Structures are given as C-alpha cells and as structure tokens.
Amino acid sequence: MNGYTLGAKGCLLRLFPLSDVRALLVGHHPPGTLDIGDALRGEGATVQTCTTNHDTLRMLVEDPVDVVLVHSRATHEQGVLLANEIRTLHPDVAVLLLVEKPTLESAIGAVAAGVSRYLVEPLSGAELREAVRCAVKTTRWRMLGPAAVGRQAGATAFSSAQLDRAIMGLYVAWQPIISAGDGRTLGFEALARSSEPEMNPGRLFELAEATGRLVELGRVLRSLVAADLPRLPADTLAFVNVHVDEVRDNTLVSGLDPLSDFAGSVVLELTERSSLERVPDAAERVHALRGLGYRIAIDDLGAGYAGLSALARFTPEFAKIDMSLVRGLQGDPLRRRLVRMLAVMCAEIGVPVVAEGIEHEDELAAVREAGCTHVQGHFLGRPGPLA
C-alpha cells in the first residue's frame, strides 16, 4: 500500500509511527506475559511507568502522553475507574485496558469509560503495537481533523517511498581513523551512502526519522557493515554510528544483531545530537552492549551539552570531537582553546580523542598541538571500500 500497513481494524499503521508516540504504562505485567514497555521501546516509543492511580494522574499533568496502558491485574474495577478518570480529565489521551480474565461486566465498564481498546493477556507484540497505533491514530484524527491527517498521510507516503528507494541503494563507505602521533591506522568509520540520486546521508536519516523508520534503517546498515567486516584489516576497529533510537532496539542489545558476531572489533558511536536522556534505561543498555564485547564512543563531542553528560555518565572508550570545532581551527584561538580543554579533560579520564573533519594540513597540525590523539578527515583518507 505504498508505505502503509493495514491493521485488523483498517488503521493506516504507518501514519503515526511508534517513534512519534509517548506512552505511560500503569502497573506491572503478569509473569509469563509480554513486557509491554520493552515491546514499545523496541519500536522507538517513549515509555514511562508508574504503579499507582495517584501517580498516573499527576504524571499526566506534568508530562502529557499520547496513550495510557492500564494493567488491571488486581481488579478490573480499579482499571475501569482509572480509565474513566483519565478520559474525564484528559479527553485527548487514548486509554488501553489490559486484562487477564475478561468478564462481560468489565468490558461494559471499559466501553462506558471510553477505553480505546480492551486487550486480553497474553497478547503478542504485533497485537500490542497495532492497538497502540490505532488508538493514537483515532485520537489524533479527532484532534487534527480529517484534512490535516490526510495531508500528513500523503506526506508520509511520499517520504516512505523515497526512503524505500534509498534503502534499496544503500552501501557502506569506510574512512580511516589514524593515530596523530605515529600515523598508524586505529580503525575505519562506516559511513552510510546510497546510490539513490540526491540522497545524501543527512537527507537519508531525516527521512527515516520523519517516517519512524530509524530502527529499520539502522538494522539494514548494520547488516551491510557486518557483511564487510571479514575484510577489516587485522588489529583495527570498525566505528559504527548508532542513533539513540537504536539503543532502544532490543535486537542490538540482545546480541541477535548480525554485528554481534564481530562485537570485539566494533566501536558503537553514540551521537550527542540525540540525547541518551531520552532512554530511561540507557546505562543498563550500554552495559549490556559492553557485555557483548562492543566498545563505546561518544560522537560529536562539543556540539552541545548532551555529549559532556554522556561522557561523564558512560566513560566511553573513545570520544570524537565534532567537526564544527575542527574546521578552520588553526585560525580561531577560541576554538583552539575549546578543543584543547576537551582533549585535556578526556586525557584525565583516560579516553582517547578523535578529531573529525580534517581537510587541511594546518588543521592537522592544530589538533595535534591541542592534544588530540587520533585524526580523521578527507586530508587523511576519503571514504571508500574496505580493502
């Protein structure tokens, strides 16, 4: 359907991607049933949790969400009462009620309370995601009106078709990362490229984010990287960019990803442009990635506060200084001081620093003088096949 997936209820499921959804999960999932939070986070949704009705209503005031999922494990009446309060105070929030043992009374009560979906556990991840998408679609349709939703649908379909073509033409180019001291090759960064005309990397990821398909794009790219890695030169590392949404992808964290076979020689670059603060269990997930053998790098250091926060929180194996600080460094005393400060700070905690985007000999000399231990850029080697 040209970028859409029809659910059992006839909903256009790609219209509102889960990466665009904020959810609140009330209660605990019963043993042996689907972990709702993980199932939604794995598709890019932002999920908060709470355990009491009072906290639920407070959180909805402080931080509005699109959908509330209520486990009514204790008594169905409590779940229905909470759903009724939510719908009364926040009519634009979708409410899903999850029950273990459905009864006619609870179903009638749920309908009267305005519950969007009445779900019986155990249920599959696909059933859950469809229910959430349909519920959010319905409430946004009511809020925006059919015309606005129709325009969004058309734009999403067009962008998804562009992205489909770009993914078909994906390939990986590799750029060397070199020691600033002795010129040895530390490793190579995997850079996404597409044969689709006018599809530069910025546009590629912009489309993926706009259509809620960043996780899908990341999985395809990691598969391409894994196919190249048997040709990685001995004793070198592969640096692979990972968006914050991919950190929430259970395929990557669980070790089921094709890249996990090469984890010992892979450095995952976490970009600071998408703050890991969006991932509540980021520390646990980064720990799990290290447990699989991956090393961690903080990318784009110096482009904002988030990278400094991640540097302190995760103590990465590498830090990469953003090219916006490196370009023209030799003629800018203030930026030279900033880069030197970042390099000294990283040296004090034992983190090697890579200066990105070097295009001239003067820039190379300036970052060496500033204390950067490794360098990367067109002056040192252009992206190309891994030979």
Side-chain angles (χ1 to χ4, degrees):
M1 288 195 61
N2 193 24
Y4 292 90
T5 300
L6 276 176
K9 301 293 183 181
C11 295
L12 292 169
L13 300 186
R14 191 172 284 174
L15 181 58
F16 294 116
L18 286 183
S19 60
D20 186 37
V21 169
R22 295 176 59 82
L24 177 62
L25 180 59
V26 184
H28 302 286
H29 71 281
T33 63
L34 176 73
D35 189 315
I36 304 297
D38 282 352
L40 294 178
R41 291 188 189 99
E43 294 295 324
T46 300
V47 181
Q48 302 178 73
T49 60
C50 62
T51 56
T52 68
N53 292 9
H54 178 269
D55 286 344
T56 300
L57 298 175
R58 176 183 56 79
M59 291 177 70
L60 288 174
V61 172
E62 296 175 353
D63 192 6
V65 299
D66 299 294
V67 59
V68 180
L69 300 101
V70 180
H71 281 292
S72 59
R73 188 183 180 194
T75 66
H76 296 160
E77 289 77 13
Q78 289 181 359
V80 170
L81 287 173
L82 177 58
N84 190 58
E85 287 190 76
I86 294 170
R87 296 289 297 139
T88 301
L89 297 173
H90 307 279
D92 293 325
V93 175
V95 180
L96 278 64
L97 188 64
L98 297 94
V99 300
E100 284 186 89
K101 297 178 180 179
T103 65
L104 179 60
E105 290 76 13
S106 65
I108 293 173
V111 171
V115 168
S116 300
R117 293 289 294 273
Y118 181 86
L119 301 173
V120 179
E121 296 184 294
L123 70 162
S124 69
E127 290 172 323
L128 170 73
R129 289 186 285 270
E130 177 190 338
V132 170
R133 287 188 176 101
C134 285
V136 173
K137 171 189 176 293
T138 300
T139 55
R140 293 190 185 180
W141 183 285
R142 184 173 60 247
M143 292 169 61
L144 299 174
V149 173
R151 287 194 296 272
Q152 184 176 348
T156 304
F158 179 73
S159 297
S160 287
Q162 282 186 304
L163 185 61
D164 286 339
R165 293 193 298 271
I167 288 176
M168 290 295 292
L170 274 180
Y171 63 95
V172 178
W174 298 85
Q175 187 172 42
I177 299 172
I178 297 169
S179 168
D182 58 19
R184 292 184 182 180
T185 300
L186 169 70
F188 300 82
E189 181 178 356
L191 301 171
R193 298 290 186 266
S194 177
S195 58
E196 175 70 9
E198 301 182 5
M199 186 58 66
N200 60 46
R203 177 61 176 158
L204 177 67
F205 286 93
E206 179 185 286
L207 278 178
E209 188 163 17
T211 55
R213 298 174 64 186
L214 276 167
V215 171
E216 175 190 344
L217 177 61
R219 289 176 180 175
V220 174
L221 283 170
R222 294 197 302 271
S223 294
L224 293 174
V225 169
D228 266 0
L229 285 184
R231 295 192 296 278
L232 186 73
D235 301 320
T236 59
L237 299 171
F239 286 71
V240 182
N241 285 277
V242 174
H243 189 275
V244 63
D245 285 357
E246 294 176 74
V247 177
R248 295 187 288 199
D249 182 1
N250 290 332
T251 300
L252 176 63
V253 177
S254 66
L256 299 176
D257 196 87
L259 208 56
S260 63
D261 291 339
F262 307 92
S265 59
V266 172
V267 180
L268 298 176
E269 296 188 20
L270 308 179
T271 175
E272 81 156 3
R273 296 184 189 276
S274 298
S275 174
L276 282 166
E277 298 299 325
R278 289 167 47 189
V279 185
D281 57 348
E284 292 81 359
R285 288 179 173 267
V286 169
H287 179 74
L289 290 170
R290 282 194 168 115
L292 293 171
Y294 295 108
R295 277 166 270 197
I296 302 297
I298 299 300
D299 197 12
D300 303 321
L301 186 64
Y305 168 76
L308 294 175
S309 176
L311 187 69
R313 187 178 179 189
F314 301 115
T315 315
E317 281 74 23
F318 298 93
K320 301 186 77 174
I321 293 181
D322 187 66
M323 65 176 63
S324 65
L325 290 177
V326 173
R327 296 279 170 81
L329 181 72
Q330 68 280 9
D332 190 326
L334 177 58
R335 276 194 289 165
R336 283 206 305 273
R337 288 180 61 189
L338 287 173
V339 171
R340 186 177 299 113
M341 289 170 60
L342 289 172
V344 169
M345 178 179 63
C346 289
E348 288 179 349
I349 59 175
V351 177
V353 174
V354 181
E356 297 183 290
I358 294 173
E359 295 191 345
H360 304 284
E361 188 173 1
D362 290 346
E363 290 171 348
L364 176 60
V367 297
R368 279 175 171 161
E369 182 184 349
C372 296
T373 57
H374 296 83
V375 287
Q376 177 183 357
H378 285 184
F379 179 71
L380 302 154
R382 291 184 173 272
L386 191 60

